[in-house]
Amino acid sequence: MGFDILLSTVSEEFAKDHPVWGQSRQKLTPYLRRGGASVCVQEDFGQSHLDTLQKLDAYVRDCTAVVHLVGGLTGKCPDPDDLIELMDRFSQEQSPLLGNESHIRITDLTAVTYTQWEALLAIHYGKPLFVYATREGQTTQAEHLARLKLAKNARFHDDIVDREDLIGKVLADLRQIMPDIPELRVNNVPASIGATFVGRDPLFDPVYQLLLEKPTVIHGLGGLGKTRFAIEFAHHFAARFSTALFTRADGFADLTGPEALNLPEHNDDLETRRHAVVAKLQTAEKPLLIFDNIDTETDKTTVEALAARLPNVAILITSRIGKWNAKFNRQNLDFLSPAAARAFLIDRSGTNRPATDSDQADLDRLVGAHPEVEWSGTPFSTSPANAPDPAGTECHSILPVDAPATSATDSGLLGGLALAIEQAGAYIDAEEISFGQYLQQFEKNRERILAWKSDEFTEYEDSVLTTWQTTIDHLSDGAVALLRELSFYASAPIPRDIFEENRDALSELHRFSMVRYLAEPEHTVTIHPLVQEIVLLRMTDEEKAETWQSHIQHLTAWAPVNGQKFENWATWELLAPHADRFVEWEPQFPETADCGRVLNAYAGFQQYRNGAYAKAEPLKRRVLDLRERHLGPEHTDALTSVNNLAALLYQSSNYAEAELL
């Protein structure tokens, strides 16, 4: 399928040598073309001004979408004869301008510029319209923007800070209709989700100011969207930092890799790599370093020690832990406001959801009511031009989606938790049911979870428990089994190829937002830690034992058996956090004999790749114990394990014990 995109801009501002916005159009175009789009700009239609408006009209009528950049310059107005001809044709076709949007008023058509006409034509033909307004544009084109905000087919960003922010948001938004657009990389930071990110933008500037003072912790309940906030923050302020890096506490040394700092020490041992990253960041001009999911005291201690060595680095941390010492600023991430939650749920629930008379009341129950929020219905749609709107179902919010966050008790049954809203919307979209139908299932399951809920889950997390239960009830047996297995992994990116034989089940989990596909690292998937906790809570001992066996089989079949070999290091670097989780789980299943291969390969990786003898030694001892107990001390595999352990002890200068073996 081809895509025809009109880049609607004033060339003097967005295509030439403007100090802030110059060359924006040129930088966007290659990404769009690589995503399969044919890109047009106003200059493609000639500069005679005698029929340019007619040509624009013909193009917009058949195009896929219009990307409209609104800056401080407005551009030129059409020739009056050209305008008269267009309006006459609309009259002959009995298609009055903005006929489906009659509430949009234009008092003087002769004052509308070519670039502004491009947006109006998109509204007229019901084309997806993506609007990006600079601060200057909000002032000089306030009347034009006010008109566009009334259109049901328009999406807005009115917080654009610089060219990199603009490009990132455009690509993220268009990727919803053009999935093959390549990711705009900010070092190794995951991709932005564009306009789908709502309700948190007002925190960007305050957090930026906190970061200028000292490391800052974004803390709050699981499921609030802390990781997503950090990712969107990095994209929003990309131009203000020389480098933006995203990592976990246990992945800090891997920032030497080509997708991050690309340091020559990347093939050295763990400590050398860690020191190389610190040295690089200490001399960087203004780097941003994001530590994600610092939810244990061990990880917290690691990050505190690293922060002390990196006083010039802007360090942003996401954590469920709220208590940090005075060397860290803290910013609590609150619940989404009803308006933001409503916008998110409408968007995520898709365009195939049936509209009903009870939508207003059902939304109030799900995401909370607000006296200043008006409901009129469906999300942004990519349906054909002038497609019928059977229930008058466009959505307009008088209250901005960035209104102050409320308490969970005011946020409806979904509690203002981004994770719960994401899962609810995905379920509604996948099943093509109404808000009311989902509400009925949700309330039924809410009663069920109260019977088994653990005290470790707060009342606010009830919403995630209930959305989880509602989805689980409709997943296939294969998808449920795979979800259980994924809960044995770390919350880091997981290679999808591990589950090649379960591809359909994985796709099902993705469709229901139980997991998320990632573009980087390529062909990986991740699962939210809170979802993992809930899944594990609901599993019986028998189910855990059965799932553990499946987990071993998949890892044993996929993981390289020789962790010590250079050519396998890249794979084991990706597997390392999951291998650590595997090591944590293994003692709970002491009678399992066939996990030795994974443990032995991971020990080899730690020994030869990282020089981490202290970490490799207990792994090799566990492998030896497993093989001697299950295979016998004279078995070839057991004797090989003795030799492997002796070699490691010798390398770590423990000559006496090595000689005994």
Side-chain angles (χ1 to χ4, degrees):
M1 176 182 178
F3 302 94
D4 296 308
I5 304 296
L6 176 62
L7 277 183
S8 171
T9 71
V10 174
S11 299
E12 289 293 328
E13 190 166 11
F14 292 98
K16 297 186 179 178
D17 294 326
H18 188 278
V20 178
W21 308 106
Q23 305 295 309
S24 295
R25 202 168 69 187
Q26 291 92 322
K27 288 185 176 294
L28 271 170
T29 300
Y31 281 95
L32 300 182
R33 287 176 176 160
R34 286 168 61 193
S38 171
V39 180
C40 271
V41 299
Q42 194 178 114
E43 288 88 337
D44 294 335
F45 302 98
Q47 297 299 311
S48 68
H49 303 300
L50 297 178
D51 60 354
T52 300
L53 196 56
Q54 309 298 318
K55 294 176 180 177
L56 284 172
D57 174 71
Y59 183 82
V60 173
R61 181 195 295 258
D62 297 321
C63 77
T64 306
V66 174
V67 175
H68 187 53
L69 311 186
V70 181
L73 303 180
T74 58
K76 299 177 180 179
C77 294
D79 181 270
D81 292 339
D82 199 13
L83 177 57
I84 291 171
E85 185 176 346
L86 178 66
M87 299 310 295
D88 286 345
R89 188 169 59 74
F90 282 159
S91 178
Q92 293 170 8
E93 295 175 352
Q94 297 184 346
S95 176
L97 178 64
L98 307 180
N100 291 330
E101 301 275 11
S102 57
H103 54 285
I104 300 177
R105 305 297 181 192
I106 305 176
T107 56
D108 183 8
L109 284 175
T110 63
V112 178
T113 68
Y114 279 115
T115 305
Q116 292 172 345
W117 265 108
E118 291 163 353
L120 294 180
L121 290 170
I123 296 172
H124 178 73
Y125 291 114
K127 297 296 182 178
L129 174 63
F130 298 90
V131 183
Y132 306 86
T134 69
R135 291 170 183 171
E136 297 84 357
Q138 293 177 54
T139 301
T140 61
Q141 302 196 57
E143 183 179 354
H144 174 60
L145 288 170
R147 287 195 296 260
L148 300 186
K149 286 185 177 180
L150 297 175
K152 70 179 181 181
N153 61 320
R155 279 197 169 186
F156 271 82
H157 281 291
D158 54 8
D159 57 346
I160 306 299
V161 296
D162 51 43
R163 186 178 62 189
E164 285 70 21
D165 183 38
L166 168 66
I167 294 171
K169 285 183 167 65
V170 171
L171 295 180
D173 288 340
L174 286 183
R175 199 170 286 113
Q176 298 173 54
I177 56 176
M178 298 169 56
D180 292 333
I181 293 177
E183 303 288 356
L184 178 68
R185 300 298 309 281
V186 180
N187 294 94
N188 71 331
V189 177
S192 168
I193 59 172
T196 305
F197 180 73
V198 295
R200 306 296 195 193
D201 301 45
L203 277 179
F204 282 166
D205 284 332
V207 168
Y208 181 77
Q209 294 302 319
L210 291 174
L211 274 177
L212 296 180
E213 298 174 0
K214 50 187 172 182
T216 298
V217 181
I218 305 297
H219 66 94
L221 295 171
L224 278 173
K226 300 182 292 296
T227 297
R228 178 50 56 187
F229 175 88
I231 292 169
E232 299 301 328
F233 178 91
H235 282 276
H236 187 77
F237 289 119
R240 300 192 186 182
F241 298 101
S242 62
T243 303
L245 301 169
F246 186 90
T247 187
R248 296 157 50 95
D250 57 4
F252 182 74
D254 295 331
L255 292 177
T256 54
E259 73 286 352
L261 292 173
N262 197 23
L263 300 179
E265 293 87 351
H266 183 57
N267 291 324
D268 293 337
D269 62 74
L270 187 67
E271 280 305 308
T272 301
R273 283 182 286 141
R274 185 179 288 119
H275 287 302
V277 175
V278 170
K280 180 66 174 180
L281 292 177
Q282 285 174 336
T283 58
E285 184 176 348
K286 193 177 181 183
L288 170 66
L289 177 60
I290 298 172
F291 283 107
D292 188 41
N293 286 340
I294 306 304
D295 296 330
T296 68
E297 288 298 327
T298 299
D299 286 349
K300 178 171 173 278
T301 300
T302 299
V303 169
E304 287 173 339
L306 286 169
R309 300 177 63 188
L310 299 169
N312 65 313
V313 178
I315 297 178
L316 186 63
I317 301 160
T318 69
S319 178
R320 295 195 210 177
I321 301 172
K323 293 183 178 180
W324 293 72
N325 63 45
K327 296 179 181 179
F328 293 81
N329 281 323
R330 293 179 300 151
Q331 173 64 58
N332 181 54
L333 196 65
D334 215 330
F335 308 98
L336 283 172
S337 69
R342 180 173 300 230
F344 187 16
L345 182 59
I346 292 168
D347 185 82
R348 186 61 186 88
S349 57
T351 59
N352 295 321
R353 164 183 43 78
T356 69
D357 293 338
S358 66
D359 276 346
Q360 168 71 40
D362 296 334
L363 275 170
D364 287 348
R365 286 280 291 147
L366 286 169
V367 296
H370 196 289
E372 295 179 353
V373 176
E374 267 185 11
W375 162 252
S376 50
T378 61
F380 168 85
S381 172
T382 57
S383 58
N386 299 321
D389 188 10
T393 56
E394 74 269 25
C395 175
H396 303 295
S397 291
I398 295 176
L399 180 72
V401 295
D402 57 1
T406 62
S407 67
T409 55
D410 297 326
S411 299
L413 293 172
L414 297 180
L417 288 172
L419 179 61
I421 298 167
E422 163 78 12
Q423 291 182 354
Y427 184 92
I428 293 169
D429 184 29
E431 295 294 304
E432 297 184 10
I433 61 174
S434 68
F435 291 128
Q437 290 171 305
Y438 182 80
L439 180 61
Q440 291 176 0
Q441 297 180 34
F442 184 95
E443 290 184 316
K444 178 182 67 176
N445 286 320
R446 190 163 179 252
E447 295 177 2
R448 289 171 59 191
I449 68 160
L450 295 177
W452 56 260
K453 187 186 81 165
S454 167
D455 291 339
E456 66 187 82
F457 291 102
T458 70
E459 61 178 300
Y460 306 123
E461 290 167 316
D462 283 357
S463 58
V464 179
L465 293 171
T466 310
T467 56
W468 175 86
Q469 184 66 63
T470 304
T471 299
I472 284 290
D473 287 346
H474 285 75
L475 290 177
S476 66
D477 291 343
V480 171
L482 183 56
L483 184 64
R484 289 172 178 165
E485 183 177 343
L486 287 165
S487 297
F488 278 79
Y489 286 80
S491 57
I494 308 166
R496 280 191 256 165
D497 290 344
I498 294 175
F499 316 107
E500 182 63 27
E501 65 185 48
N502 306 102
R503 184 186 303 176
D504 291 343
L506 189 62
S507 177
E508 184 179 352
L509 293 177
H510 173 65
R511 191 169 72 253
F512 282 93
S513 282
M514 289 286 108
V515 301
R516 184 184 295 275
Y517 286 168
L518 301 177
E520 293 292 338
E522 186 177 3
H523 208 60
T524 56
V525 64
T526 188
I527 179 171
H528 196 284
L530 184 56
V531 173
Q532 291 178 307
E533 291 178 25
I534 296 171
V535 173
L536 292 169
L537 173 69
R538 293 295 293 142
M539 289 171 65
T540 64
D541 289 343
E542 291 77 15
E543 288 169 339
K544 286 182 179 178
E546 181 181 346
T547 303
W548 175 248
Q549 286 292 341
S550 178
H551 183 38
I552 293 173
Q553 291 169 10
H554 278 127
L555 272 185
T556 300
W558 191 82
V561 67
N562 293 316
Q564 69 270 28
K565 288 191 174 182
F566 174 83
E567 58 266 30
N568 294 329
W569 287 356
T571 301
W572 272 105
E573 284 173 355
L574 188 59
L575 282 176
H578 310 298
D580 286 336
R581 189 79 182 268
F582 186 92
V583 171
E584 293 172 4
W585 276 109
E586 189 268 334
Q588 298 186 35
F589 305 94
E591 298 307 313
T592 305
D594 48 359
C595 60
R597 177 177 166 183
V598 174
L599 293 174
N600 190 60
Y602 185 47
F605 168 75
Q606 289 293 348
Q607 177 181 352
Y608 290 93
R609 169 66 175 101
N610 292 330
Y613 302 126
K615 191 167 186 175
E617 182 180 336
L619 295 177
K620 287 188 177 288
R621 290 187 185 278
R622 284 164 73 168
V623 173
L624 175 59
D625 177 66
L626 279 170
R627 289 176 172 173
E628 286 186 337
R629 283 193 293 112
H630 292 280
L631 302 176
E634 301 304 319
H635 191 279
T636 303
D637 288 349
L639 294 174
T640 299
S641 293
V642 172
N643 183 67
N644 290 341
L645 177 58
L648 181 142
L649 292 171
Y650 187 85
Q651 287 181 348
S652 59
S653 302
N654 189 348
Y655 304 121
E657 189 174 358
E659 185 176 352
L660 290 175
L661 291 174

Coordinates of all heavy atoms in Angstrom, one line a residue, residues 152-203:
K152 N -12.6 17.2 13.9 CA -12.6 15.9 14.5 C -11.4 15.0 13.9 O -11.0 14.1 14.5 CB -13.9 15.1 14.2 CG -14.1 14.7 12.8 CD -15.4 13.9 12.7 CE -15.7 13.5 11.3 NZ -16.9 12.8 11.1
N153 N -10.9 15.4 12.7 CA -9.8 14.6 12.2 C -8.4 15.2 12.4 O -7.5 14.8 11.8 CB -10.0 14.4 10.6 CG -10.0 15.8 9.9 OD1 -10.5 16.8 10.5 ND2 -9.4 15.9 8.8
A154 N -8.3 16.1 13.3 CA -7.0 16.7 13.6 C -6.4 16.3 14.9 O -7.1 16.1 15.9 CB -7.2 18.3 13.6
R155 N -5.1 16.1 14.9 CA -4.3 15.8 16.1 C -3.3 17.0 16.3 O -2.7 17.4 15.4 CB -3.6 14.5 16.0 CG -4.5 13.3 16.3 CD -3.6 12.1 16.5 NE -4.4 11.0 17.0 CZ -3.9 9.9 17.5 NH1 -2.6 9.7 17.5 NH2 -4.7 8.9 17.9
F156 N -3.1 17.3 17.6 CA -2.4 18.5 17.9 C -1.2 18.2 18.8 O -1.2 17.4 19.7 CB -3.3 19.5 18.6 CG -4.0 20.4 17.7 CD1 -5.2 20.0 17.1 CD2 -3.5 21.7 17.4 CE1 -5.9 20.8 16.2 CE2 -4.2 22.5 16.5 CZ -5.4 22.1 15.9
H157 N -0.1 19.0 18.4 CA 1.0 19.2 19.3 C 1.3 20.7 19.4 O 1.6 21.3 18.4 CB 2.3 18.5 18.8 CG 2.4 17.0 19.1 ND1 2.5 16.5 20.4 CD2 2.3 16.0 18.2 CE1 2.5 15.2 20.3 NE2 2.4 14.8 19.0
D158 N 1.0 21.3 20.5 CA 1.3 22.8 20.6 C 2.4 23.1 21.6 O 2.4 24.1 22.2 CB 0.0 23.5 20.9 CG -0.7 23.0 22.2 OD1 -0.1 22.1 22.9 OD2 -1.8 23.4 22.5
D159 N 3.3 22.1 21.7 CA 4.4 22.3 22.7 C 5.7 22.0 22.1 O 6.7 21.6 22.8 CB 4.1 21.3 23.9 CG 4.1 19.9 23.5 OD1 3.9 19.6 22.3 OD2 4.1 19.0 24.3
I160 N 5.9 22.2 20.8 CA 7.1 21.9 20.1 C 8.2 22.9 20.5 O 8.0 24.1 20.5 CB 6.9 22.0 18.5 CG1 5.7 21.1 18.1 CG2 8.2 21.6 17.8 CD1 5.9 19.7 18.4
V161 N 9.3 22.3 20.9 CA 10.4 23.2 21.5 C 11.6 23.4 20.5 O 12.2 24.5 20.6 CB 11.0 22.6 22.8 CG1 9.9 22.7 23.9 CG2 11.5 21.2 22.6
D162 N 11.8 22.5 19.6 CA 12.9 22.6 18.6 C 12.7 21.7 17.5 O 11.8 20.9 17.5 CB 14.3 22.4 19.3 CG 14.4 21.1 20.1 OD1 13.9 20.1 19.6 OD2 14.9 21.2 21.2
R163 N 13.7 21.7 16.5 CA 13.5 20.9 15.3 C 13.5 19.4 15.6 O 12.7 18.6 15.0 CB 14.6 21.2 14.3 CG 14.5 20.6 13.0 CD 15.6 21.0 12.0 NE 16.9 20.6 12.6 CZ 18.1 21.0 12.0 NH1 18.1 21.9 11.0 NH2 19.2 20.6 12.5
E164 N 14.4 19.0 16.5 CA 14.5 17.5 16.8 C 13.2 17.0 17.5 O 12.7 15.9 17.2 CB 15.7 17.3 17.7 CG 17.0 17.3 17.0 CD 17.4 18.7 16.6 OE1 16.9 19.7 17.1 OE2 18.3 18.8 15.7
D165 N 12.6 17.9 18.3 CA 11.4 17.5 19.0 C 10.3 17.4 17.9 O 9.5 16.5 17.9 CB 11.0 18.6 20.0 CG 9.8 18.3 20.8 OD1 9.5 17.1 21.1 OD2 9.0 19.2 21.1
L166 N 10.2 18.4 17.0 CA 9.2 18.3 15.9 C 9.4 17.1 15.1 O 8.4 16.4 14.9 CB 9.4 19.6 15.0 CG 8.7 19.6 13.7 CD1 7.2 19.6 14.0 CD2 9.1 20.8 12.8
I167 N 10.5 16.8 14.6 CA 10.7 15.6 13.8 C 10.3 14.3 14.5 O 9.7 13.4 13.9 CB 12.2 15.5 13.3 CG1 12.5 16.7 12.3 CG2 12.5 14.2 12.5 CD1 13.9 16.9 12.0
G168 N 10.7 14.2 15.7 CA 10.4 13.0 16.5 C 8.9 12.8 16.7 O 8.4 11.7 16.5
K169 N 8.2 13.9 16.9 CA 6.7 13.8 17.1 C 6.0 13.5 15.8 O 5.1 12.7 15.7 CB 6.2 15.1 17.7 CG 6.5 15.2 19.2 CD 5.9 16.5 19.8 CE 5.9 16.4 21.3 NZ 7.3 16.5 21.9
V170 N 6.5 14.1 14.7 CA 5.8 13.8 13.4 C 6.0 12.3 13.0 O 5.0 11.6 12.7 CB 6.5 14.7 12.3 CG1 6.0 14.2 10.9 CG2 6.1 16.1 12.5
L171 N 7.2 11.8 13.2 CA 7.5 10.4 12.8 C 6.7 9.4 13.7 O 6.1 8.4 13.2 CB 9.0 10.1 12.9 CG 9.8 10.9 11.9 CD1 11.3 10.5 12.0 CD2 9.4 10.6 10.4
A172 N 6.6 9.8 15.0 CA 5.9 8.9 15.9 C 4.4 8.9 15.6 O 3.7 7.8 15.6 CB 6.1 9.4 17.4
D173 N 3.8 10.0 15.2 CA 2.4 10.1 14.9 C 2.1 9.4 13.6 O 1.2 8.6 13.5 CB 1.9 11.5 14.8 CG 1.9 12.2 16.1 OD1 1.8 11.5 17.1 OD2 1.9 13.5 16.2
L174 N 2.9 9.6 12.6 CA 2.6 9.0 11.2 C 2.9 7.5 11.3 O 2.3 6.7 10.4 CB 3.5 9.6 10.2 CG 3.1 11.0 9.7 CD1 4.0 11.6 8.6 CD2 1.7 11.1 9.3
R175 N 3.7 7.0 12.2 CA 4.0 5.6 12.3 C 2.7 4.8 12.6 O 2.6 3.6 12.3 CB 5.0 5.3 13.3 CG 5.7 4.0 13.2 CD 6.9 3.8 14.1 NE 8.0 4.6 13.6 CZ 8.5 5.7 14.2 NH1 8.0 6.1 15.4 NH2 9.6 6.3 13.7
Q176 N 1.7 5.5 13.1 CA 0.4 4.8 13.4 C -0.3 4.4 12.1 O -1.1 3.4 12.1 CB -0.5 5.7 14.2 CG 0.0 6.1 15.5 CD -0.8 7.1 16.3 OE1 -2.0 6.9 16.4 NE2 -0.2 8.2 16.7
I177 N -0.1 5.1 11.0 CA -0.7 4.7 9.7 C 0.4 4.2 8.7 O 0.0 3.6 7.7 CB -1.5 5.9 9.1 CG1 -0.6 7.1 8.9 CG2 -2.7 6.2 9.9 CD1 -1.3 8.3 8.2
M178 N 1.6 4.5 9.1 CA 2.7 4.0 8.2 C 3.8 3.3 9.1 O 4.8 3.8 9.5 CB 3.4 5.2 7.5 CG 2.5 5.9 6.6 SD 3.2 7.5 6.0 CE 4.8 6.9 5.3
P179 N 3.5 2.0 9.5 CA 4.3 1.3 10.5 C 5.7 1.1 10.0 O 6.6 0.8 10.9 CB 3.6 0.0 10.7 CG 2.7 -0.2 9.4 CD 2.3 1.2 9.0
D180 N 6.1 1.2 8.7 CA 7.4 1.0 8.3 C 8.4 2.2 8.4 O 9.5 2.1 7.9 CB 7.4 0.4 6.9 CG 6.8 -1.0 6.8 OD1 6.8 -1.7 7.8 OD2 6.2 -1.3 5.7
I181 N 7.9 3.3 8.9 CA 8.8 4.4 9.0 C 9.9 4.1 10.0 O 9.6 3.6 11.1 CB 8.0 5.7 9.6 CG1 7.0 6.2 8.5 CG2 9.0 6.8 9.9 CD1 6.2 7.3 9.0
P182 N 11.1 4.2 9.6 CA 12.2 3.9 10.6 C 12.2 4.7 11.8 O 11.7 5.9 11.8 CB 13.5 4.1 9.7 CG 13.1 5.1 8.7 CD 11.6 4.8 8.4
E183 N 12.7 4.2 12.9 CA 12.8 4.9 14.2 C 13.7 6.1 14.1 O 14.8 6.0 13.5 CB 13.2 4.0 15.3 CG 12.3 2.7 15.5 CD 11.0 3.1 16.1 OE1 10.7 4.3 16.4 OE2 10.1 2.2 16.2
L184 N 13.4 7.2 14.7 CA 14.3 8.3 14.9 C 15.0 8.0 16.2 O 14.4 8.1 17.2 CB 13.5 9.6 14.9 CG 14.4 10.9 15.2 CD1 15.3 11.1 14.0 CD2 13.6 12.1 15.4
R185 N 16.3 7.8 16.1 CA 17.0 7.3 17.3 C 17.6 8.5 18.1 O 18.1 9.5 17.5 CB 18.2 6.4 16.9 CG 17.7 5.2 16.2 CD 16.9 4.3 17.1 NE 17.5 4.1 18.4 CZ 18.4 3.2 18.6 NH1 18.9 2.4 17.6 NH2 19.0 3.0 19.8
V186 N 17.4 8.5 19.3 CA 18.1 9.4 20.2 C 19.0 8.5 21.0 O 18.7 8.0 22.1 CB 17.1 10.2 21.2 CG1 17.8 11.1 22.1 CG2 16.1 10.9 20.4
N187 N 20.2 8.3 20.5 CA 21.1 7.3 21.0 C 20.4 6.0 21.2 O 19.8 5.5 20.2 CB 21.8 7.8 22.3 CG 22.7 9.0 22.0 OD1 22.2 10.2 22.2 ND2 23.9 8.8 21.6
N188 N 20.3 5.4 22.4 CA 19.6 4.2 22.5 C 18.3 4.3 23.2 O 17.7 3.3 23.7 CB 20.5 3.2 23.3 CG 20.7 3.5 24.8 OD1 20.6 4.7 25.1 ND2 20.9 2.6 25.6
V189 N 17.7 5.5 23.3 CA 16.4 5.7 23.9 C 15.3 5.1 23.1 O 15.3 5.3 21.8 CB 16.2 7.2 24.1 CG1 14.8 7.4 24.7 CG2 17.2 7.8 25.0
P190 N 14.4 4.3 23.6 CA 13.3 3.8 22.8 C 12.5 4.9 22.1 O 12.6 6.0 22.5 CB 12.4 3.0 23.9 CG 13.4 2.7 25.0 CD 14.4 3.8 25.0
A191 N 11.7 4.4 21.1 CA 11.0 5.4 20.2 C 9.9 6.1 21.0 O 9.3 5.6 21.9 CB 10.4 4.7 19.0
S192 N 9.6 7.3 20.5 CA 8.5 8.1 21.1 C 7.1 7.5 20.5 O 7.1 6.9 19.5 CB 8.6 9.5 20.6 OG 7.4 10.3 20.9
I193 N 6.0 7.7 21.3 CA 4.7 7.3 20.8 C 3.9 8.5 20.3 O 2.7 8.4 20.0 CB 3.9 6.5 21.9 CG1 3.8 7.4 23.1 CG2 4.6 5.2 22.1 CD1 2.8 6.7 24.1
G194 N 4.5 9.7 20.2 CA 3.9 10.9 19.7 C 2.7 11.3 20.4 O 2.6 11.4 21.6
A195 N 1.6 11.6 19.6 CA 0.4 12.2 20.2 C -0.4 11.3 21.2 O -1.2 11.8 21.9 CB -0.5 12.7 19.1
T196 N -0.1 10.0 21.1 CA -0.7 9.1 22.1 C -0.3 9.4 23.5 O -1.0 9.0 24.5 CB -0.4 7.6 21.7 OG1 -0.7 7.4 20.3 CG2 -1.1 6.6 22.6
F197 N 0.8 10.0 23.7 CA 1.3 10.4 25.0 C 0.6 11.6 25.5 O 0.7 12.7 24.9 CB 2.8 10.6 25.0 CG 3.4 11.0 26.3 CD1 3.6 10.0 27.3 CD2 3.8 12.3 26.6 CE1 4.1 10.4 28.6 CE2 4.4 12.6 27.8 CZ 4.5 11.7 28.8
V198 N -0.3 11.5 26.5 CA -1.1 12.6 26.9 C -1.0 12.8 28.5 O -0.7 11.8 29.2 CB -2.6 12.4 26.5 CG1 -2.8 12.4 25.0 CG2 -3.2 11.1 27.1
G199 N -1.3 14.0 28.9 CA -1.5 14.2 30.3 C -0.2 14.5 31.1 O -0.3 14.9 32.3
R200 N 1.0 14.3 30.6 CA 2.2 14.4 31.4 C 3.1 15.6 30.9 O 4.0 15.9 31.6 CB 3.0 13.2 31.3 CG 2.3 11.9 31.7 CD 1.9 11.9 33.1 NE 1.5 10.5 33.5 CZ 0.8 10.2 34.7 NH1 0.5 11.2 35.4 NH2 0.6 9.0 35.0
D201 N 2.7 16.2 29.8 CA 3.6 17.2 29.2 C 3.9 18.4 30.2 O 5.0 18.9 30.2 CB 3.0 17.8 27.9 CG 2.7 16.7 26.9 OD1 2.2 15.7 27.2 OD2 3.0 17.0 25.7
P202 N 2.9 18.8 31.0 CA 3.2 19.9 31.9 C 4.4 19.7 32.9 O 5.0 20.6 33.4 CB 1.9 20.1 32.7 CG 0.9 19.6 31.8 CD 1.5 18.4 31.1
L203 N 4.7 18.4 33.1 CA 5.8 18.0 34.0 C 7.2 18.2 33.3 O 8.2 18.2 34.0 CB 5.7 16.6 34.5 CG 4.7 16.4 35.7 CD1 4.7 14.9 36.1 CD2 5.2 17.2 36.9

